[in-house]
């Protein structure tokens, strides 16, 4: 390791704080999903999404105020934010519908296919090069999805399709940010995305609205605030530690999903879901590993010059 490379690495205390922050944030996200699943039994999805994003805006506005005021929310790319907001609406409906119809762990196992979709879609949309190793990982990951969906067995559910929509929508949102998001701040993306979802939720209110009880209103507020704060925490975690260190901790949500699902609903994932989910997660981790390898330029052993990146 050269001196320059060593100097560029985050300090160990920062990495440790980043890991702890991410671990807490992903546990909070699962807590939010658990509350959403609980509320979905008595409220329409568009109302849940409306309340969730409305309360999530509060932490975002607090962060904006802390980082320089409302000027941090301004954008020169309104169409970009509108497009991401619309994609996020589809993703929220898909994921929340999956939670309402499936055990959390089962929904997570499918939602965690997003790295596969991101890798596959980056070729036609971003013109990125994907080598044979990552393509093989994508194919293996999709095989894992097929194991869970069991096509032809008669068990393919609308909830599973909702999870696929949620995963693909999230992937498209990530690709959109990678394509044109360098000029926008993270807090700006969060504000405009949640704002778009709130407007869509208000527009859909005539389709049905159930007056929440005081207790459920507190749950709505809890889920939304958790969403906002957890998003801020994840953003901070990626600033404190390398993405390759933080990203795998998202899969800890699978463990929390199994725990919460069993404690509250006595849900136990079947063997097929566990096997398929393990294949999807392993494929995602391998893709992350290859992305990390490609991001670090190799040093030629003889001349000490930087070797060009190779798609892999």
């Amino acid at each position: 390791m050269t001196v320059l490379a060593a100097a560029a690495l985050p300090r160990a205390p920062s990495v440790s704080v980043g890991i702890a922050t991410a671990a807490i944030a992903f546990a909070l996200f699962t807590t939010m999903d658990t509350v959403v699943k609980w509320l979905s039994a008595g409220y329409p999805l568009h109302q849940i999404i409306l309340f969730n994003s409305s309360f999530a805006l509060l932490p975002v506005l607090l962060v904006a105020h802390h980082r320089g005021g409302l000027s941090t929310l301004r954008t020169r790319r309104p169409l970009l934010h509108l497009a991401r907001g619309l994609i996020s609406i589809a993703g929220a409906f898909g994921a929340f519908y999956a939670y309402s119809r499936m055990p959390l762990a089962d929904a997570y196992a499918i939602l965690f296919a997003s790295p596969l979709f991101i890798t596959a879609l980056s070729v036609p949309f971003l013109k990125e090069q994907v080598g044979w190793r990552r393509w093989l990982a994508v194919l293996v990951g999709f095989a894992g999805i097929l194991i869970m969906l069991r096509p032809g067995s008669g068990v393919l559910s609308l909830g599973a399709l909702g999870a696929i929509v949620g995963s693909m929508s999230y992937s498209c949102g990530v690709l959109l940010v990678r394509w044109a998001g360098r000029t926008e701040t993270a807090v700006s993306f969060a504000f405009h995305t949640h704002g778009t979802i709130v407007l869509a939720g208000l527009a859909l209110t005539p389709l049905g609205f159930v007056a929440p009880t005081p207790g459920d209103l507190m749950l709505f507020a809890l889920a939304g605030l958790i969403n906002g704060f957890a998003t801020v925490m994840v953003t901070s975690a990626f600033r404190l530690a390398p993405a390759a260190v933080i990203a795998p901790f998202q899969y800890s949500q699978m463990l929390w999903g199994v725990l919460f699902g069993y404690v509250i609903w006595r849900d136990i994932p079947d063997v097929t879901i566990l096997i398929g989910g393990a294949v999807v997660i392993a494929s995602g981790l391998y893709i992350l590993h290859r992305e990390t390898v490609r991001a670090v330029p190799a040093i030629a052993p003889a001349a000490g010059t930087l070797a060009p990146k190779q798609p892999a």
Side-chain angles (χ1 to χ4, degrees):
M1 181 181 293
T2 64
V3 174
L4 288 177
L9 293 175
R11 294 181 179 180
S14 295
V15 173
S16 298
V17 173
I19 290 174
T21 302
I24 295 172
F26 290 129
L28 288 175
F29 275 128
T30 306
T31 303
M32 179 202 74
D33 294 338
T34 302
V35 175
V36 167
K37 180 176 176 62
W38 180 272
L39 292 170
S40 66
Y43 298 90
L45 285 182
H46 61 267
Q47 182 177 341
I48 296 175
I49 292 171
L50 168 62
F51 277 65
N52 190 274
S53 284
S54 297
F55 284 107
L57 280 173
L58 298 179
V60 173
L61 291 174
L62 286 176
V63 173
H65 175 74
H66 177 72
R67 293 181 179 176
L70 296 180
S71 61
T72 59
L73 303 178
R74 294 174 183 167
T75 177
R76 292 174 293 178
R77 312 290 296 273
L79 294 180
L80 169 68
H81 288 290
L82 176 62
R84 189 168 187 267
L86 294 176
I87 291 171
S88 297
I89 291 169
F93 269 102
F96 286 7
Y97 182 77
Y99 299 153
S100 72
R101 297 287 180 171
M102 305 173 66
L104 279 178
D106 294 18
Y108 282 161
I110 299 174
L111 288 167
F112 285 155
S114 55
L116 311 180
F117 291 120
I118 291 171
T119 301
L121 294 175
S122 67
V123 176
F125 288 105
L126 300 183
K127 307 303 180 184
E128 293 184 357
Q129 291 182 312
V130 175
W132 68 270
R133 294 180 181 88
R134 282 185 292 157
W135 273 125
L136 181 59
V138 168
L139 293 176
V140 171
F142 284 144
I145 296 176
L146 291 177
I147 291 174
M148 290 184 288
L149 298 181
R150 288 166 281 185
S153 64
V155 299
L156 181 60
S157 66
L158 291 177
L161 293 178
I164 292 176
V165 170
S167 182
M168 292 191 67
S169 298
Y170 172 79
S171 303
C172 291
V174 170
L175 290 173
L176 190 62
V177 172
R178 285 168 59 173
W179 172 65
R182 294 182 178 179
T183 61
E184 304 295 315
T185 64
V187 67
S188 177
F189 268 118
F191 173 77
H192 289 94
T193 297
H194 284 299
T196 303
I197 294 174
V198 168
L199 293 177
L202 289 172
L204 294 174
T205 296
L207 297 179
F209 185 87
V210 178
T213 65
D216 286 349
L217 184 59
M218 292 181 64
L219 289 177
F220 277 120
L222 176 66
L225 292 173
I226 286 176
N227 187 3
F229 280 115
T231 300
V232 172
M233 291 177 68
V234 167
T235 302
S236 300
F238 277 106
R239 289 177 176 175
L240 292 168
V245 174
I246 297 300
F249 281 88
Q250 183 175 4
Y251 293 115
S252 65
Q253 288 187 256
M254 188 72 172
L255 301 177
W256 289 113
V258 171
L259 176 61
F260 291 169
Y262 177 75
V263 170
I264 299 175
W265 294 282
R266 291 295 185 265
D267 290 332
I268 301 177
D270 61 28
V271 175
T272 305
I273 289 292
L274 292 176
I275 293 175
V279 172
V280 170
I281 291 174
S283 301
L285 289 174
Y286 183 76
I287 289 173
L288 176 63
H289 164 70
R290 291 306 307 172
E291 290 281 358
T292 305
V293 170
R294 292 177 68 251
V296 179
I299 300 178
T305 57
L306 296 181
K309 291 182 182 178
Q310 300 294 329

